[in-house]
Amino acid sequence: MRDSHGKASRTWRRLCGAGTLSGALLLALPASAQDSGGSALRFLKPWIERQLFGHETSTTPPAAPAESPPAAEPDAAPADGEAAPDDVSPDESPAGDDAASTPAPDDPIGAELRGLSPSDATADPDAEPDAPPIDDATAVPEAASPGVPVEKKPEPLRFAVLSGRSPAATMATIGPVAEALQAALGRPVEILPFASYVAMIDAQVQRRIDGGFFSAAAFAAADSGCACLEPLVAPKASDGTLAYHAVIVARAGSGIASVADLAGKTVAVGASDSLGSRRLQLAGLMSEGIDPATAFGAVTEVESADAAVRLVASGAADAAFAWSSLSGSVESGYSSGTLTGLVASGEIAMGSIAVVWSSPPIVHGPFAVLRTLDAAERKAIEDYLVALSAGNPDAYDLLDPFYGGGYAPVDPQDYAGLATLMAENVDSLRLPAGPATTGATSVAPAPETPPTPE
């Protein structure tokens, strides 16, 4: 009997020490038990021992019965099963450090939450090797009456959002959104801040999140990596448009009417990680069978689309990469985009500028979810987000800091053109470098690693 008690006690310590079991049990406790701290787990010891061994062990071994004691049952082998997905912690801080942390080994509170007391840190000379960690899927369920199935709690939905400079401020503002979605869906919802779209893409491809608030490029990259996303809504610009176009502009009357006319000409482009003033134009030309490395005479890099168009207006470049809604009044430089701002500031007049190439429409970055999500839940999320700008403008402004026109429904077909463009390997290009210009730099060779999507 003593050997049986020793084995039961050692198994108890291994199970509690595995960490995942104590965490799962703590979530299953009544609120009153949770409030009492990690020590509340101790009252479950007799129950677990009854489930594992059919009896309770005690700190004082009972007197041996007259008959020979039954042989101790062998330890149950850990159940095989797929490991639960890793928790998605708030990603790295703006400074680049990971925010995730674990209790220090000598932390008494952390030890209690793992089912241990500080005194248990000393090794038991008779202890057996630690058992493999127990996955949440193999954790002992809450006790139920015989024949009564244990109700399975719904898994939380996890959605990602770009955290900006302050993850804490982001979460304070987004908290009501998670609560409202939880009420609408009838299941837990978590909105998790990420420091970059690259981190969001990685989490989505690995299925550690159920969706998120993506930029257009980040959505295309994530969906190409997992083929698992469905866009639900996207933000409208203040002019009511849902999309923009990458464009190439030249001086009116210069004789440049198409890309073919740019042979031997100097083209001003934006930074290497810019979608609207570089990457989309290059990818679009490549998708049309045009090699940008030979289509232009020289390429000059500047800091923005505005700066590129200014070089064209001044005669320092023959053409420029920019972006535009291509809707609304032409005289005003259209309703939004690079030309709109420059016309409004009086720096250019549309009579002096001609659009010589444009991409398919690029719909603004969507809120997208896994395609496997229930259709009724997708519709509930869509309805909530469409009404968000009116119901919670502060939360809407944080989720959509650029456009300001509220969310509108979208579908996968809206992003077909973007997916085609993103399939091109822009980073493989070696563009012809142009002469140095004030406010500009000659194009350097393509970077070894792709830039962060914007």
Side-chain angles (χ1 to χ4, degrees):
M1 189 68 180
R2 185 172 184 178
D3 290 341
S4 176
H5 168 72
K7 179 172 289 187
S9 181
R10 288 192 296 273
T11 302
W12 161 254
R13 287 197 300 271
R14 292 202 310 274
L15 291 173
C16 290
T20 54
L21 177 63
S22 61
L25 291 174
L26 183 60
L27 292 175
L29 294 179
S32 59
Q34 292 187 36
D35 291 342
S36 65
S39 60
L41 292 176
R42 292 172 175 168
F43 83 90
L44 289 173
K45 177 178 177 182
W47 178 81
I48 292 178
E49 291 171 338
R50 287 199 302 272
Q51 305 304 311
L52 295 176
F53 307 106
H55 64 274
E56 297 180 23
T57 61
S58 62
T59 55
T60 304
E67 64 274 17
S68 300
E73 297 179 4
D75 286 347
D80 293 329
E82 183 179 355
D86 293 337
D87 286 343
V88 182
S89 301
D91 204 75
E92 60 199 48
S93 66
D97 296 329
D98 290 336
S101 61
T102 55
D106 58 349
D107 178 7
I109 297 178
E112 286 287 1
L113 291 177
R114 292 191 298 273
L116 305 171
S117 67
S119 60
D120 288 328
T122 56
D124 182 351
D126 297 326
E128 298 174 359
D130 286 342
I134 298 178
D135 296 329
D136 290 344
T138 63
V140 180
E142 187 176 349
S145 302
V148 177
V150 176
E151 182 180 357
K152 184 178 180 181
K153 295 183 179 180
E155 292 292 325
L157 289 174
R158 293 172 172 175
F159 299 132
V161 64
L162 202 63
S163 65
R165 294 183 178 274
S166 173
T170 297
M171 296 314 298
T173 306
I174 295 304
V177 175
E179 294 171 2
L181 286 174
Q182 180 168 313
L185 300 174
R187 64 186 293 187
V189 172
E190 300 172 2
I191 298 182
L192 309 171
F194 283 75
S196 70
Y197 283 124
V198 168
M200 287 175 59
I201 293 167
D202 182 66
Q204 188 65 77
V205 170
Q206 295 184 31
R207 308 294 180 92
R208 291 186 284 119
I209 54 176
D210 298 286
F213 296 86
F214 292 94
S215 70
F219 166 73
D223 192 46
S224 67
C226 70
C228 64
L229 290 176
E230 179 176 344
L232 298 184
V233 299
K236 295 182 294 185
S238 56
D239 63 356
T241 57
L242 263 173
Y244 66 94
H245 299 258
V247 299
I248 300 176
V249 301
R251 287 188 305 280
S254 65
I256 299 174
S258 69
V259 174
D261 298 325
L262 291 175
K265 305 295 185 181
T266 298
V267 179
V269 305
S272 61
D273 62 350
S274 172
L275 277 179
S277 64
R278 182 161 175 162
R279 298 180 69 81
L280 287 177
Q281 287 87 346
L282 296 177
L285 295 176
M286 294 170 72
S287 70
E288 295 175 8
I290 299 171
D291 183 2
T294 60
F296 313 134
V299 173
T300 298
E301 181 179 301
V302 293
E303 69 275 10
S304 67
D306 286 3
V309 175
R310 289 188 186 105
L311 289 183
V312 171
S314 69
D318 300 300
F321 287 4
W323 68 275
S324 173
S325 66
L326 293 184
S327 66
S329 168
V330 176
E331 291 76 14
S332 299
Y334 302 103
S335 60
S336 63
T338 309
L339 304 178
T340 310
L342 293 174
V343 169
S345 66
E347 296 182 71
I348 65 170
M350 283 303 293
S352 65
I353 294 293
V355 176
V356 300
W357 180 91
S358 65
S359 73
I362 309 301
V363 180
H364 302 155
F367 174 78
V369 298
L370 292 175
R371 297 173 190 170
T372 53
L373 193 64
D374 179 77
E377 291 183 323
R378 294 200 302 269
K379 185 62 169 65
I381 295 171
E382 177 184 308
D383 290 345
Y384 172 77
L385 291 176
V386 167
L388 183 62
S389 62
N392 189 343
D394 289 341
Y396 171 78
D397 289 341
L398 190 147
L399 293 172
D400 168 33
F402 304 110
Y403 299 107
Y407 286 113
V410 292
D411 59 54
Q413 188 58 35
D414 291 327
Y415 295 90
L418 177 62
T420 299
L421 297 183
M422 295 297 291
E424 303 295 338
N425 187 7
V426 171
D427 296 307
S428 67
L429 293 174
R430 294 295 186 270
L431 300 174
T437 305
T438 303
T441 58
S442 297
V443 171
E448 295 182 359
T449 56
T452 302
E454 289 185 345

